[in-house]
């Protein structure tokens, strides 16, 4: 159903996964894995892809205790028990407990870091924005340096399509992370992936459709924002292939067509409701949608409010790479690869790190000062403050 709702009829990576299946199975069965942020939607997909190939060791770390419990229940209920060691740890990847785990655990051959603050709405205030900086940039570097000393073969870190020509702080944070990792790649093999919105992942707008339906509430979405989508399964496959098949500094992304695959949220809402047996009824305001909800739903119709986007950080369409990046479209059937040289400005990275450290020491910063710090690394950052954020929408 997920593929139908996002306007596709087949998985993106089936051919590539089948072609490389023997290599993937042999690598997984002989290796120890650590997945950080493994209880989120993408992390769970990666964990399940690795688990079903019978890893020697699979350790999963996530701060969400409840989601971790569900991951274990899901794996046990669907795949049973493997031959190797499977353990989960409900700890923060930025904590002393995590450092102790890495130092005492068996050597991890492959580390997948899926932890991230992924919402544009996270930049609405300076405090959540600073946490975004910590998680998306500095925790990523800290984790890498920890596992580098333990003999890790490859460190995979998730990026985002919003890192290409970023217009919001979330995308910019991931672009800065990429540049820091370019520096680290001089003595550690690193791969990444930029991919589209993961359909119905926790906290996504499409996941919100499910929540609104269960609670019999109106559906609200922009009608002028186009996005690429992948399924959770495809997200897991893309990360696994990048982590196990990529070369140093490769950034994998899905080959999606602008003409065929860019989809409006409002279009998905219509398909979603039709699939559930309801007709979408467009209302002229949030107030009308709320006021007519009970009556319309009783008639197998669903109130919807579709609007033009006017919130800070929204990008009208998505892209995976820029004109200045070298792209390999030939190696995989469904995947493109950004081939990165180890290019970075060391002085700007150092200045950024020192500026953020100074703010944290003083316990005093503003959104404006954080944006200015970002521009020391990304002077071209096209961030525009519109005075309205997504929390001010229904």
């Amino acid at each position: 159903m997920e593929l139908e709702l996002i306007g596709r009829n087949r998985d993106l990576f089936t051919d590539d996964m089948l072609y490389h299946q023997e290599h993937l199975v042999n690598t997984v069965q002989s290796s120890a894995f650590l997945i950080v942020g493994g209880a989120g939607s993408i992390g769970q997909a990666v964990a399940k892809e690795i688990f079903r190939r019978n890893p020697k060791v699979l350790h999963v770390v996530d701060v969400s205790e409840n989601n971790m419990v569900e991951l274990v229940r899901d794996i046990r209920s669907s795949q049973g028990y493997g031959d190797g060691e499977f353990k989960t740890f409900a700890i923060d990847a930025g904590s002393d407990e995590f450092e102790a785990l890495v130092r005492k655990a068996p050597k991890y051959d492959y580390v997948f870091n899926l932890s991230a603050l992924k919402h544009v709405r996270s930049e609405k205030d300076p405090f959540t924005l600073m946490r975004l900086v910590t998680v998306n940039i500095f925790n990523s570097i800290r984790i890498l340096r920890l596992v580098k000393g333990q003999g890790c073969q490859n460190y995979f870190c998730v990026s985002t399509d919003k890192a290409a020509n970023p217009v919001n702080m979330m995308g910019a944070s991931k672009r800065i992370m990429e540049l820091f990792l370019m520096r680290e790649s001089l003595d550690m093999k690193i791969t990444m992936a930029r991919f589209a919105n993961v359909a119905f992942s926790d906290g996504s707008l499409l996941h919100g459709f499910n929540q609104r339906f269960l609670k019999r509430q109106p559906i609200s979405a922009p009608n002028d924002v186009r996005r690429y989508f992948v399924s959770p399964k495809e997200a897991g496959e893309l990360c696994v292939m990048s982590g196990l098949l990529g070369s140093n500094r490769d950034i994998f992304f899905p080959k999606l067509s602008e003409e065929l695959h860019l989809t409006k949220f409002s279009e998905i809402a219509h398909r979603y409701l039709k699939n559930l047996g309801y007709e979408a009824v467009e209302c002229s305001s949030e107030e009308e949608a709320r006021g007519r909800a009970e009556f319309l739903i009783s008639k197998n119709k669903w109130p919807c409010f579709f609007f033009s986007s006017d919130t800070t950080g929204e990008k009208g369409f998505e892209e995976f790479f820029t004109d200045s990046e070298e792209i390999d479209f030939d190696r995989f059937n469904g995947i493109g690869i950004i081939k990165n040289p180890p290019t970075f400005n060391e002085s700007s990275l150092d200045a950024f790190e020192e500026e953020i450290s100074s703010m944290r020491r003083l316990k005093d910063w503003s959104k404006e000062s954080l944006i200015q710090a970002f521009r020391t690394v990304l002077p071209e950052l096209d961030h525009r403050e519109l005075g309205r954020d997504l929390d001010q929408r229904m």
Side-chain angles (χ1 to χ4, degrees):
M1 185 184 80
E2 286 170 346
L3 290 180
E4 293 175 8
L5 294 177
I6 60 179
R8 288 198 275 113
N9 56 20
R10 67 184 300 271
D11 288 319
L12 289 171
F13 309 129
T14 300
D15 293 342
D16 293 317
M17 292 295 288
L18 286 174
Y19 184 82
H20 294 283
Q21 177 73 342
E22 183 177 356
H23 176 79
L24 292 172
V25 169
N26 291 338
T27 301
V28 170
Q29 289 183 349
S30 62
S31 302
F33 293 83
L34 171 65
I35 302 177
V36 181
S41 301
I42 304 171
Q44 289 198 33
V46 172
K48 287 186 278 190
E49 285 295 325
I50 292 173
F51 185 88
R52 72 186 185 87
R53 292 176 172 82
N54 202 21
K56 184 169 66 175
V57 174
L58 175 58
H59 289 176
V60 183
V61 168
D62 198 289
V63 73
S64 173
E65 183 183 26
N66 290 338
N67 284 2
M68 191 76 84
V69 169
E70 176 54 29
L71 170 64
V72 174
R73 288 172 176 163
D74 187 4
I75 285 178
R76 296 306 188 208
S77 299
S78 61
Q79 303 184 42
Y81 296 80
D83 299 326
E85 176 181 293
F86 173 49
K87 292 182 178 180
T88 62
F89 303 88
I91 55 179
D92 185 341
S95 67
D96 294 338
E97 292 86 354
F98 177 77
E99 183 172 348
L101 167 66
V102 171
R103 297 195 184 285
K104 292 185 178 181
K107 183 195 80 171
Y108 297 117
D109 298 298
Y110 295 90
V111 175
F112 287 79
N113 179 13
L114 290 310
S115 63
L117 267 69
K118 63 180 184 178
H119 288 286
V120 175
R121 69 179 69 231
S122 293
E123 63 183 71
K124 66 184 183 297
D125 66 83
F127 315 107
T128 311
L129 179 54
M130 179 60 88
R131 181 165 180 262
L132 181 147
V133 171
T134 300
V135 173
N136 290 3
I137 301 174
F138 294 112
N139 276 7
S140 298
I141 302 164
R142 180 174 181 269
I143 294 166
L144 180 148
R145 290 174 179 170
L146 280 173
V147 301
K148 180 194 298 186
Q150 306 296 313
C152 177
Q153 292 184 39
N154 190 81
Y155 178 76
F156 170 87
C157 199
V158 67
S159 186
T160 173
D161 52 353
K162 296 174 179 63
N165 293 318
V167 301
N168 54 57
M169 304 304 286
M170 192 282 286
S173 72
K174 283 296 189 178
R175 179 58 187 145
I176 292 173
M177 177 205 77
E178 291 176 359
L179 293 171
F180 270 102
L181 293 183
M182 289 300 112
R183 180 164 68 175
E184 298 293 333
S185 73
L186 296 176
D187 58 3
M188 172 75 183
K189 182 169 174 263
I190 294 166
T191 58
M192 290 175 271
R194 291 179 186 169
F195 52 79
N197 293 261
V198 180
F200 298 96
S201 61
D202 285 353
S204 68
L205 184 57
L206 302 192
H207 177 259
F209 289 179
N210 284 337
Q211 298 302 306
R212 304 290 69 73
F213 187 82
L214 290 172
K215 296 177 181 179
R216 300 174 70 83
Q217 296 170 343
I219 282 178
S220 177
N223 57 13
D224 60 345
V225 173
R226 299 185 299 155
R227 292 288 182 262
Y228 292 113
F229 291 90
V230 294
S231 69
K233 176 176 177 288
E234 290 169 338
E237 291 172 343
L238 183 65
C239 294
V240 167
M241 284 191 283
S242 177
L244 301 186
L245 303 175
S247 300
N248 194 19
R249 293 182 289 274
D250 281 356
I251 302 179
F252 281 34
F253 63 89
K255 287 182 186 175
L256 287 166
S257 162
E258 181 177 349
E259 294 80 14
L260 297 177
H261 300 126
L262 273 176
T263 307
K264 292 181 181 179
F265 285 110
S266 52
E267 293 171 351
I268 296 175
H270 277 277
R271 294 188 203 121
Y272 174 84
L273 291 168
K274 183 178 180 180
N275 185 270
L276 292 169
Y278 288 83
E279 177 189 349
V281 175
E282 297 191 26
C283 300
S284 60
S285 67
E286 292 184 357
E287 291 74 16
E288 180 189 348
R290 284 190 292 263
R292 299 181 66 192
E294 185 176 349
F295 172 77
L296 287 173
I297 292 171
S298 71
K299 303 296 183 183
N300 271 57
K301 299 181 179 182
W302 208 276
C304 298
F305 176 57
F306 301 133
F307 55 88
S308 298
S309 177
D310 62 355
T311 54
T312 298
E314 285 296 340
K315 195 172 184 178
F317 66 97
E318 296 291 26
E319 54 195 334
F320 296 108
F321 55 90
T322 66
D323 293 339
S324 63
E325 293 173 316
E326 178 189 347
I327 311 299
D328 178 358
F329 283 115
D330 299 326
R331 183 180 174 194
F332 293 94
N333 185 61
I335 298 169
I337 307 172
I338 302 169
K339 306 296 292 184
N340 288 289
T343 302
F344 54 88
N345 185 319
E346 185 145 20
S347 62
S348 69
L349 295 180
D350 288 343
F352 176 81
E353 192 165 9
E354 176 53 39
E355 182 64 20
I356 298 298
S357 296
S358 175
M359 291 178 189
R360 295 186 68 87
R361 282 195 304 270
L362 296 172
K363 295 182 172 55
D364 182 29
W365 62 86
S366 64
K367 183 174 179 178
E368 291 71 24
S369 64
L370 284 167
I371 292 171
Q372 190 58 39
F374 272 54
R375 287 193 169 123
T376 63
V377 182
L378 301 176
E380 72 280 9
L381 175 60
D382 185 24
H383 180 274
R384 298 172 188 174
E385 186 61 53
L386 300 179
R388 186 178 178 89
D389 65 70
L390 287 168
D391 281 356
Q392 293 170 277
R393 284 289 187 192
M394 185 166 64

